[in-house]
């Protein structure tokens, strides 16, 4: 039986993340893009279905490269609203240590639903909490990702340096190195898909210089090399972290990264703010990716990522919303707006365009995750699409549709297609009772804080 072909016809505007003219739309077949049509062009042969996109701005499905889904349970919690990173973490760790599989499942579903409705089709999560009873945290997340039909890069995070040994996290939240490595290997074997169209991938992600040992950093890099998966961690987020590295290791952050075998193209880093010119050159030469997280960096007053210097040096740039205790929204299209404005403060209005920022949120983010099958609209790429309508009050009077998405503050996709399947229709996630999810998640969040 021949596959159904669907023509996404004549969009109001379309951003391909490359130079292709796609004004005539896209033809989707077998979950991938089969044709890219220029202005006035027709599909090469008839399509069984046509979706009239004359009211839609079409983007590649956006790709989030840094998050902590579990943190949706601790959004806008009064004790940490006005704290910078280190005290913020120390106040939250004991609360997070009470996480259970049921609560993590709800938190994951809320984060993914929120991302999906904001135009995101692929999400990375950095999960590093495995308290007693939650040893199967990543398995729990895999189930939720499958249920929603999104793509995910689930990173097996870790913490192994507790307070007793000079680290930041309390002792009950850290694991032994052997346990971390054995579970990492198990998860890659059980879930990591390779090749075009992968739905679930696993990466290794020791949490940060101040919460893991050098041994686990080195061992994770070796295991990732052996099993060919990616590496992720937080780096150069704050000056407190830089001071910690100088005091404990006698090294600046990039020297530390290099010393444990992480400075390479397999690695992508969250934040990447406090680098000197020499470090930027080394990161670029190594092809190490940077996940820019503007809202989180503004909320915790951490600093501004030097995106243009990093990109000029050769480091791929992607976008991340970061965890919901430091953003506290998981909204990719609003994060692109935030990146546009924060980066304009650093580089000026002429250099930071909507196209540049949307490119970070799509093609750049795909590079960070090591994927060439998503993040742009071209023949052979996965049919992951985000469609936005400009019919709300906030868009009234706007002229250029693509700019309007960011300048007028689009916050919700009208439709989402992932691998050729509609997952969001008329702003609603297919098969999800959102009201019930919110009720359950609220209850879980209250319980978690109450202890
Ligand atoms: Zn983070």
């Amino acid at each position: 039986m021949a596959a159904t072909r669907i023509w996404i016809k004549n969009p109001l505007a379309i951003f391909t993340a490359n130079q292709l003219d796609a004004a005539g739309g896209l033809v989707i077949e077998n979950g991938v893009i089969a044709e890219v049509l220029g202005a006035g062009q027709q599909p090469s042969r008839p399509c069984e279905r046509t979706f009239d996109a004359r009211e839609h701005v079409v983007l590649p499905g956006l790709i989030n490269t840094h998050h902590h889904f579990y943190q949706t349970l601790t959004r806008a919690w009064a004790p940490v609203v006005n704290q910078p990173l280190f005290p913020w973490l120390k106040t939250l760790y004991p609360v997070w240590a009470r996480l259970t599989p049921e609560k993590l499942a709800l938190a994951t579903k809320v984060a993914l639903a929120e991302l999906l409705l904001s135009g995101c089709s692929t999400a990375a999560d950095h999960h590093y909490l495995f308290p007693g009873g939650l040893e199967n945290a990543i398995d729990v997340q895999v189930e939720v990702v499958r249920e929603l039909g999104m793509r995910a890069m689930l990173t097996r995070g870790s913490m192994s340096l507790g307070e007793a040994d000079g680290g930041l996290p309390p002792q009950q939240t850290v694991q032994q190195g052997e346990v971390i490595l054995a579970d990492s290997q198990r998860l890659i074997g059980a879930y990591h898909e390779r090749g075009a169209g992968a739905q679930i991938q696993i990466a290794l992600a020791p949490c940060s210089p101040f919460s893991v040992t050098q041994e686990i950093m080195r061992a994770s890099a070796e295991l990732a090399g052996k099993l060919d998966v990616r590496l992720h961690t937080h780096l150069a987020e704050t000056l407190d972290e830089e001071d910690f590295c100088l005091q404990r290791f006698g090294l600046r952050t990039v020297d530390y990264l290099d010393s444990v075998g992480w400075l390479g193209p397999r690695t992508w880093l969250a934040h990447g703010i406090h680098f000197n010119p020499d470090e930027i050159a080394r990161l670029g030469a190594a092809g190490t990716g940077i996940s820019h997280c503007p809202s989180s960096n503004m909320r915790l007053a951490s600093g501004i990522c030097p995106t243009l210097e990093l990109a000029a040096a050769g480091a791929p740039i992607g976008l991340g919303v970061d965890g919901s205790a430091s953003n506290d929204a998981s909204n990719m299209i609003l994060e692109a707006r935030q990146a546009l404005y924060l980066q304009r403060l650093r580089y000026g209005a002429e250099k930071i365009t909507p196209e540049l920022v949307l490119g970070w949120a799509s093609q750049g983010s795909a590079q960070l995750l090591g994927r060439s099958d998503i993040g742009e609209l071209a023949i052979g790429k996965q049919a992951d699409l985000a469609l936005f309508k400009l019919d709300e009050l906030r868009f009234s009077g706007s002229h250029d549709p693509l700019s309007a998405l960011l300048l007028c503050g689009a916050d919700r996709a009208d439709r989402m297609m992932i691998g050729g399947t509609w997952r969001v229709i008329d702003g609603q996630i297919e098969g999800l009772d959102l009201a019930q999810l919110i009720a359950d998640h609220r209850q879980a969040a209250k319980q978690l804080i109450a202890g």
Side-chain angles (χ1 to χ4, degrees):
M1 197 180 79
T4 305
R5 283 160 54 86
I6 175 167
W7 180 14
I8 309 293
K9 184 182 175 184
N10 297 338
L12 174 65
I14 183 163
F15 173 75
T16 55
N18 51 46
Q19 300 306 313
L20 290 174
D21 169 18
L26 306 166
V27 177
I28 311 300
E29 191 173 345
N30 285 326
V32 302
I33 298 169
E35 296 185 47
V36 175
L37 306 172
Q41 286 184 340
Q42 300 277 324
S44 62
R45 54 194 176 82
C47 292
E48 287 81 4
R49 278 190 256 155
T50 298
F51 177 80
D52 185 340
R54 85 179 86 172
E55 292 181 0
H56 289 87
V57 180
V58 179
L59 308 179
L62 303 178
I63 300 171
N64 183 43
T65 55
H66 187 64
H67 207 313
H68 312 285
F69 294 159
Y70 73 89
Q71 291 182 8
T72 57
L73 293 162
T74 52
R75 295 199 237 224
W77 186 42
V80 295
V81 164
N82 303 314
Q83 288 187 335
L85 184 67
F86 276 21
W88 174 90
L89 276 170
K90 289 194 120 186
T91 311
L92 281 161
Y93 281 138
V95 176
W96 293 339
R98 298 196 287 265
L99 203 60
T100 61
E102 297 72 28
K103 288 187 173 70
L104 177 63
L106 286 167
T108 301
K109 199 183 273 193
V110 159
L112 285 172
E114 200 181 350
L115 284 166
L116 181 58
L117 288 170
S118 74
C120 174
S121 52
T122 301
D125 191 54
H126 188 178
H127 189 85
Y128 50 80
L129 282 168
F130 297 83
L134 192 59
E135 290 82 0
N136 290 334
I138 305 296
D139 307 70
V140 168
Q141 294 191 312
V142 166
E143 287 307 307
V144 180
V145 171
R146 286 184 175 155
E147 198 182 322
L148 288 174
M150 293 174 71
R151 301 184 202 279
M153 170 69 89
L154 299 172
T155 75
R156 204 299 180 188
S158 52
M159 296 204 291
S160 61
L161 185 70
E163 270 174 330
D165 303 307
L168 209 64
Q171 220 56 30
Q172 77 267 28
T173 61
V174 304
Q175 285 184 303
Q176 295 294 320
E178 313 85 73
V179 175
I180 293 166
L181 293 169
D183 194 44
S184 299
Q185 196 151 0
R186 173 185 75 81
L187 290 165
I188 294 165
Y191 301 120
H192 183 70
E193 299 171 29
R194 299 179 191 274
Q199 183 182 16
I200 290 176
Q201 296 194 312
I202 304 289
L204 304 186
C207 188
S208 61
F210 49 83
S211 60
V212 295
T213 57
Q214 286 160 291
E215 291 71 36
I216 203 71
M217 288 294 283
R218 279 196 200 95
S220 296
E222 279 165 22
L223 187 60
K226 197 173 102 187
L227 300 179
D228 191 21
V229 298
R230 297 187 81 77
L231 285 166
H232 180 50
T233 192
H234 295 96
L235 201 83
E237 180 177 2
T238 65
L239 292 173
D240 283 347
E241 177 201 322
E242 187 176 298
D243 289 344
F244 181 95
C245 287
L246 284 167
Q247 274 171 27
R248 185 173 177 94
F249 311 119
L251 298 169
R252 287 178 51 81
T253 54
V254 175
D255 292 327
Y256 169 76
L257 198 72
D258 201 2
S259 75
V260 289
W262 276 58
L263 194 57
R266 191 183 294 287
T267 301
W268 90 99
L269 305 169
H271 307 297
I273 294 168
H274 302 284
F275 298 133
N276 63 34
D278 172 60
E279 290 165 341
I280 288 173
R282 287 163 67 198
L283 288 160
T288 300
I290 306 293
S291 173
H292 176 37
C293 304
S295 295
S296 170
N297 299 159
M298 293 165 83
R299 170 152 164 6
L300 300 174
S302 304
I304 305 179
C305 175
T307 53
L308 294 191
E309 284 95 335
L310 283 160
I317 306 292
L319 271 196
V321 299
D322 202 1
S324 302
S326 70
N327 178 329
D328 304 23
S330 304
N331 192 305
M332 267 306 280
I333 193 71
L334 282 179
E335 200 64 24
R337 180 179 207 250
Q338 197 80 290
L340 179 82
Y341 289 159
L342 180 63
Q343 291 293 323
R344 280 187 173 193
L345 281 182
R346 185 173 189 119
Y347 296 109
E350 299 92 338
K351 289 197 176 127
I352 306 293
T353 63
E355 289 82 0
L356 176 70
V357 171
L358 289 171
W360 290 342
S362 52
Q363 203 266 343
S365 283
Q367 255 185 295
L368 264 53
L369 303 188
R371 298 193 66 151
S372 57
D373 60 327
I374 56 175
E376 61 181 304
L377 305 180
I379 291 173
K381 304 290 179 187
Q382 294 296 306
D384 292 2
L385 309 175
L387 285 76
F388 292 83
K389 264 182 153 173
L390 306 182
D391 57 355
E392 289 171 77
L393 186 59
R394 68 182 69 199
F395 300 109
S396 183
S398 65
H399 298 277
D400 176 54
L402 194 68
S403 308
L405 275 188
L406 299 191
L407 301 185
C408 303
D411 67 351
R412 190 152 175 152
D414 180 62
R415 282 193 170 237
M416 289 294 296
M417 175 182 275
I418 303 178
T421 302
W422 290 117
R423 297 292 179 184
V424 172
I425 295 176
D426 297 337
Q428 305 295 322
I429 297 174
E430 290 284 284
L432 181 73
D433 184 343
L434 200 59
Q436 186 63 51
L437 174 62
I438 293 171
D440 294 344
H441 182 259
R442 272 194 179 154
Q443 179 72 12
K446 272 187 196 147
Q447 280 175 1
L448 186 70
I449 294 295

